[in-house]
Amino acid sequence: MSQSALIVAKFGGTSVADFDAMNRSADIVLSRSDVKLVVLSASAGVTNLLVTLSEGQPVTVRQQLLEKLARIQYAIVDKLRAAVVIREEVSRILENIALLADKAALTPSACLADELVSHGELLSTLLFSEIIRERGVPVQWFDVRRVMKTSNRFGHAEPDIAALAELSDSVLTPLITESLVITQGFIGCEAGGLTTTLGRGGSDYTAALLGEALKAQRIDIWTDVQGIYTTDPRIVPTAKRIDEITFEEAAEMATFGARVLHPATLLPAVRNDIPVFVGSSQAPEGGGTIVYNQTRQQPLFRAVTLRRNQTLLTLHSLNMLHARGFLAEVFAILARHDISVDLVTTSEVSVALTLDTTGSTSHHGSLLTTGLLTELSSLCRVEVEENLSLVALIGNQLTQSQGIGKEVFGVMEQFSLRMICYGASNYNLCFLVPGNDAEHAVRTLHQHIFE
Ligand code: ASP
Ligand code: MG
């Protein structure tokens, strides 16, 4: 049987932030007949409110947060034609949230937090479905927990891919052939029936997982930026949108600080060769970026990225001269302190490295505990430099092309570069500059290479 095209469209928090945003997103959905499944985040700010509530708050704070939440939701409800009916439903959900928030104030738990936080997506999908319905288009609200079975690692639950494929076939596919289906990103359900979440920002992952399960032709991610740019447009207003990019390049950009959707969340799309479109729901006609496994062109230079708050650790020891095992010892100490190293350069008697804070909420500097510094100091002389920024040039075949060093460092001659990493990866060349020079360095490099 030949199947018509199927696109999974995901809208992030800002794209469902209020009534107008939801209507813009509804326009996008309804103008693209191949969009059969819509995945939504909670309205902007809602997840943060719910997370704060789940941490257990005194009663007055609880009330303030609940009021804020109610204001966001009722502002949308009040503009619906069926406001009276929907208001009742929303107020029931808000009452339930209040109850759970009371519980969390007594005994907070990860399990309770997921239950609480899941209401953000339940509310946004309820309201968005109503907006579509009021346009006269048949629509079904779908509880994603019926198909998104996960482990019970609350807060970071792992989805059961095989179960999702099976349940999607039997439950979701029949619904999609009937009408448009609206469902929640981010949330799931463990074996005992308790609600779980896939981790903050997990809606992209949900969309990719559902795209995989339904063998979608494309996954559209609608957000508040018009795709991926050659550098951060807030730093360089003339940054150019990249029309097509590979998952690999996008991953490299994300790792080096670009605010692009993290390709790790798109793994299900990558492994099934499903293209992912990224665009702005505020300006859909402006187009966006398509992320593919393979693009027609793989330019030498793709983008310039910036990552701030870098700490450089330089370790000197004469014992290193012709010695064996010094680096092993240094890395063993860092591993014992649970620190993952980001960049490394070495000379005969010293090693310089930066600390990896991906996944860590703390500032680089606070990773350097007294315990760690004492242990390192017993081995060598330690120097710490803070407030550095990492500028990375992302591209392809960088180590196989001639003259790159001359070109890049020629442009950068006015800056003092504290560390340079080049050679380990074909996809990037990066260096540390003083934090105060960071934006200037990005502008200079971008202007020379892309403008
Ligand atoms: N609403 C969730 C969050 O803010 C999931 C998402 O938006 O992707 O983390
Ligand atoms: Mg989001």
Side-chain angles (χ1 to χ4, degrees):
M1 196 181 74
S2 84
Q3 246 189 339
S4 61
L6 192 166
I7 294 173
V8 174
K10 179 259 172 177
F11 293 86
T14 51
S15 301
V16 292
D18 51 34
F19 186 75
D20 292 340
M22 282 197 179
N23 273 291
R24 279 194 298 270
S25 298
D27 290 340
I28 291 171
V29 171
L30 299 180
S31 64
R32 289 161 174 78
S33 59
D34 290 342
V35 172
K36 310 249 162 71
L37 177 66
V38 174
V39 176
L40 300 184
S41 290
S43 300
V46 166
T47 305
N48 286 343
L49 286 172
L50 294 170
V51 166
T52 312
L53 281 169
S54 76
E55 288 160 352
Q57 302 298 335
V59 63
T60 48
V61 178
R62 227 142 71 212
Q63 266 157 9
Q64 279 165 10
L65 295 171
L66 289 166
E67 268 164 35
K68 228 176 179 175
L69 183 62
R71 231 176 293 135
I72 295 173
Q73 305 299 344
Y74 285 134
I76 303 172
V77 173
D78 288 341
K79 293 192 170 142
L80 294 169
R81 282 204 294 278
V84 183
V85 186
I86 302 295
R87 193 170 243 279
E88 240 171 75
E89 219 165 319
V90 168
S91 99
R92 235 183 318 109
I93 296 175
L94 291 174
E95 270 165 37
N96 197 31
I97 292 174
L99 225 73
L100 292 166
D102 291 350
K103 262 202 209 173
L106 288 175
T107 27
S109 75
C111 166
L112 184 57
D114 276 3
E115 171 74 22
L116 227 171
V117 167
S118 70
H119 286 78
E121 272 71 11
L122 295 174
L123 281 161
S124 65
T125 49
L126 169 74
L127 297 171
F128 191 77
S129 300
E130 190 53 30
I131 283 179
I132 299 278
R133 193 169 296 120
E134 295 194 352
R135 303 269 189 110
V137 176
V139 61
Q140 298 172 82
W141 179 89
F142 181 72
D143 189 332
V144 81
R145 292 170 294 188
R146 288 174 63 193
V147 296
M148 192 65 72
K149 303 302 172 191
T150 71
S151 69
N152 64 358
R153 197 169 155 223
F154 296 103
H156 289 282
E158 299 94 9
D160 181 338
I161 312 280
L164 178 62
E166 241 183 81
L167 290 165
S168 294
D169 266 352
S170 59
V171 182
L172 201 46
T173 302
L175 296 182
I176 285 170
T177 43
E178 278 167 25
S179 78
L180 182 63
V181 174
I182 315 290
T183 199
Q184 307 78 35
F186 180 51
I187 72 174
C189 169
E190 52 86 82
L194 297 169
T195 298
T196 56
T197 63
L198 308 181
R200 289 306 303 271
S203 295
D204 292 333
Y205 191 33
T206 304
L209 286 164
L210 288 168
E212 169 178 63
L214 295 167
K215 303 177 187 68
Q217 270 71 41
R218 203 177 70 218
I219 297 161
D220 290 349
I221 307 271
W222 293 99
T223 165
D224 54 0
V225 289
Q226 285 187 30
I228 300 174
Y229 282 74
T230 49
T231 196
D232 187 340
R234 288 168 304 180
I235 299 175
V236 182
T238 51
K240 293 187 188 66
R241 215 241 326 284
I242 301 167
D243 293 331
E244 295 182 357
I245 193 170
T246 60
F247 284 109
E248 239 162 14
E249 292 169 310
E252 200 79 23
M253 286 179 70
T255 306
F256 284 96
R259 234 175 35 110
V260 300
L261 73 176
H262 203 292
T265 66
L266 302 180
L267 201 65
V270 182
R271 65 186 172 223
N272 292 281
D273 227 342
I274 304 173
V276 176
F277 167 87
V278 187
S280 163
S281 67
Q282 284 154 30
E285 67 294 339
T289 300
I290 300 199
V291 193
Y292 289 106
N293 271 347
Q294 283 295 328
T295 50
R296 274 166 294 191
Q297 294 168 356
Q298 305 224 332
L300 184 59
F301 298 128
R302 186 55 106 177
V304 178
T305 62
L306 171 61
R307 215 168 68 191
R308 296 172 209 271
N309 299 325
Q310 304 293 296
T311 298
L312 179 67
L313 213 56
T314 312
L315 313 173
H316 310 267
S317 169
L318 284 178
N319 296 340
M320 216 168 144
L321 198 62
H322 308 303
R324 279 162 200 83
F326 177 80
L327 284 180
E329 218 167 318
V330 167
F331 282 89
I333 293 174
L334 291 166
R336 268 204 303 283
H337 287 266
D338 214 15
I339 283 178
S340 145
V341 170
D342 211 0
L343 304 176
V344 191
T345 59
T346 62
S347 78
E348 186 54 50
V349 291
S350 55
V351 48
L353 44 90
T354 65
L355 312 181
D356 182 7
T357 48
T358 32
S360 147
T361 48
S362 64
H363 189 267
H364 257 162
S366 59
L367 283 176
L368 292 173
T369 57
T370 330
L372 168 67
L373 290 175
T374 314
E375 237 180 288
L376 286 175
S377 301
S378 69
L379 198 67
C380 52
R381 184 158 60 80
V382 182
E383 260 176 67
V384 180
E385 258 178 89
E386 295 193 301
N387 193 23
L388 294 165
S389 287
L390 180 69
V391 176
L393 179 60
I394 312 292
N396 294 284
Q397 252 93 54
L398 288 179
T399 53
Q400 279 138 18
S401 311
Q402 285 180 347
I404 297 213
K406 182 170 178 229
E407 180 169 4
V408 172
F409 298 118
V411 183
M412 289 291 103
E413 84 190 323
Q414 55 179 306
F415 298 98
S416 73
L417 307 183
R418 276 303 289 112
M419 181 186 195
I420 296 167
C421 280
Y422 175 51
S425 156
N426 241 330
Y427 301 102
N428 76 69
L429 178 170
C430 53
F431 45 86
L432 285 177
V433 293
N436 294 336
D437 290 343
E439 298 204 348
H440 187 195
V442 168
R443 272 188 222 111
T444 307
L445 191 58
H446 188 272
Q447 187 184 14
H448 182 83
I449 287 178
F450 295 100
E451 293 172 33

